[in-house]
Amino acid sequence: MKNLVAGLVPKRFRKDKTIIPVVRLAGTIMASGSPGRRNLNLASAAPALEKAFSMKQAPCVAISLNSPGGSPVQSRLIYQRIRALAEEKQKKVLIFVEDVAASGGYMIALAGDEIFVDPTSIVGSIGVVSGGFGFTEMIGKIGVERRVYTSGENKVMLDPFQPEKEKDVEFLKGLQNEIHQVFIQMVKDRRGAKLADDPDLFSGLFWSGNGGVERGLVDGIGDMRATLKSRYGDKVELKLVTGPTNFLGRKLPGVVAGGFNGAEIAAGFASGLAETAEERALWGRYGL
């Protein structure tokens, strides 16, 4: 009789299995996304995270992570949201790295109570980088005159159309060092005694999954399904949790009030090209 009654209960309500919510965080970390491409940021990640942590019966939340980094601000915001939800809902967080969790991607990984990798994953790159181009000779060759008017002597600091100034570079490096120290402290706070005594740990170098285990940056080698089954039994069921979607099942982009004029479309296209170049550079740094 008991089996008969159990068979009448909808599958999702049966208690003979353990459902683990899975959130996938993938992509370069940028504050905004371009049409046709969705970057990783707090706005894009928050809805799925909120849904995953709201599943009361789940003993943990599993996060599949694949990011070469990007904005340190967005990386830290995502990290903080994960930790806040974990503490509020009293749930353990398990991070599973796919291809790469480097720089800002590794900062997000620190939100995990445990971090697992593939032997061929790339992890680390604990540092800060800024990049740009200089066009001082080019504009002269093509007959362009640069005209800039400011009310502050530092308003055109690091302008790519003006010669680089040593004091500007020193100022930028000072900012980078401040951000780097915040990153380093996050690693020490989250990984603690697990970290190896390696002078290169915070130098910006990155390692394979095995190298990450040796240095204490991650906890072990393991894929999501096998690891969760070993912890919660063969009847564990992984449930992918996503953010809002439209009727075609595609993720909804950010909502913008009003329409777009020609200038906005052109500006968006140019911005998209720049973001694509930056995105390819971030992935390319790790051979991906």
Side-chain angles (χ1 to χ4, degrees), residues 19 35 47 70 87 91 114 136 154 187 197 215 219 241 279 282:
I19 297 178
E87 292 172 15
K91 291 191 187 297
E114 293 181 76
T136 53
N154 294 314
V187 177
D197 184 14
R215 290 166 177 80
D219 295 285
V241 180
E279 182 179 10
L282 283 168

Side-chain angles (χ1 to χ4, degrees), residues 116-231:
F116 297 92
V117 294
D118 184 86
T120 59
S121 298
I122 298 296
V123 294
S125 191
I126 302 168
V128 181
V129 61
S130 297
F133 299 92
F135 301 101
T136 53
E137 295 184 10
M138 184 191 75
I139 61 174
K141 291 180 179 179
I142 62 176
V144 175
E145 181 182 356
R146 174 74 163 160
R147 296 175 180 174
V148 180
Y149 310 99
T150 74
S151 59
E153 62 176 320
N154 294 314
K155 288 297 291 183
V156 290
M157 180 183 292
L158 300 171
D159 188 324
F161 295 100
Q162 294 187 7
E164 190 174 66
K165 299 177 183 177
E166 184 176 344
K167 70 180 186 69
D168 292 352
V169 176
E170 290 178 0
F171 180 82
L172 177 62
K173 287 185 176 180
L175 287 179
Q176 289 179 321
N177 185 59
E178 288 182 36
I179 298 171
H180 192 196
Q181 292 306 312
V182 171
F183 195 174
I184 290 172
Q185 192 59 51
M186 288 175 67
V187 177
K188 289 181 177 180
D189 289 344
R190 291 296 295 168
R191 301 301 299 172
K194 295 178 181 179
L195 294 173
D197 184 14
D198 186 334
D200 292 327
L201 206 57
F202 304 122
S203 70
L205 282 178
F206 47 89
W207 296 273
S208 68
N210 286 325
V213 173
E214 292 173 5
R215 290 166 177 80
L217 294 174
V218 300
D219 295 285
I221 304 296
D223 68 274
M224 183 182 293
R225 184 171 294 277
T227 300
L228 293 177
K229 280 193 173 186
S230 69
R231 298 254 176 128

Side-chain angles (χ1 to χ4, degrees), residues 15-288:
K15 296 182 179 180
D16 60 345
K17 61 182 177 180
T18 302
I19 297 178
I20 306 294
V22 177
V23 177
R24 189 163 193 268
L25 301 180
T28 52
I29 306 167
M30 298 181 184
S32 61
S34 299
R37 187 176 73 254
R38 191 177 179 86
N39 294 321
L40 179 57
N41 50 52
L42 180 61
S44 66
L49 290 171
E50 296 281 352
K51 286 172 63 177
F53 279 96
S54 69
M55 296 176 65
K56 294 182 180 180
Q57 302 304 316
C60 73
V61 172
I63 296 177
S64 174
L65 179 61
N66 194 17
S67 176
S71 165
V73 174
Q74 292 299 319
S75 303
R76 186 168 164 78
L77 287 174
I78 295 171
Y79 161 87
Q80 290 177 318
R81 182 62 58 87
I82 294 171
R83 289 315 310 161
L85 288 168
E87 292 172 15
E88 177 187 341
K89 305 297 185 180
Q90 293 294 298
K91 291 191 187 297
K92 193 169 185 178
V93 180
L94 302 181
I95 301 282
F96 294 88
V97 178
E98 295 184 356
D99 298 280
V100 58
S103 194
Y106 182 69
M107 185 183 287
I108 293 174
L110 291 172
D113 294 296
E114 293 181 76
I115 307 171
F116 297 92
V117 294
D118 184 86
T120 59
S121 298
I122 298 296
V123 294
S125 191
I126 302 168
V128 181
V129 61
S130 297
F133 299 92
F135 301 101
T136 53
E137 295 184 10
M138 184 191 75
I139 61 174
K141 291 180 179 179
I142 62 176
V144 175
E145 181 182 356
R146 174 74 163 160
R147 296 175 180 174
V148 180
Y149 310 99
T150 74
S151 59
E153 62 176 320
N154 294 314
K155 288 297 291 183
V156 290
M157 180 183 292
L158 300 171
D159 188 324
F161 295 100
Q162 294 187 7
E164 190 174 66
K165 299 177 183 177
E166 184 176 344
K167 70 180 186 69
D168 292 352
V169 176
E170 290 178 0
F171 180 82
L172 177 62
K173 287 185 176 180
L175 287 179
Q176 289 179 321
N177 185 59
E178 288 182 36
I179 298 171
H180 192 196
Q181 292 306 312
V182 171
F183 195 174
I184 290 172
Q185 192 59 51
M186 288 175 67
V187 177
K188 289 181 177 180
D189 289 344
R190 291 296 295 168
R191 301 301 299 172
K194 295 178 181 179
L195 294 173
D197 184 14
D198 186 334
D200 292 327
L201 206 57
F202 304 122
S203 70
L205 282 178
F206 47 89
W207 296 273
S208 68
N210 286 325
V213 173
E214 292 173 5
R215 290 166 177 80
L217 294 174
V218 300
D219 295 285
I221 304 296
D223 68 274
M224 183 182 293
R225 184 171 294 277
T227 300
L228 293 177
K229 280 193 173 186
S230 69
R231 298 254 176 128
Y232 301 105
D234 290 335
K235 291 185 178 181
V236 71
E237 181 177 315
L238 309 186
K239 180 178 176 60
L240 181 63
V241 180
T242 61
T245 58
N246 61 20
F247 70 98
L248 294 176
R250 296 174 180 171
K251 290 182 180 179
L252 292 175
V255 178
V256 180
F260 294 97
N261 58 37
E264 289 173 330
I265 294 174
F269 179 72
S271 175
L273 289 177
E275 286 185 2
T276 298
E278 182 180 356
E279 182 179 10
R280 289 310 311 151
L282 283 168
W283 286 107
R285 184 164 181 250
Y286 307 104
L288 301 169

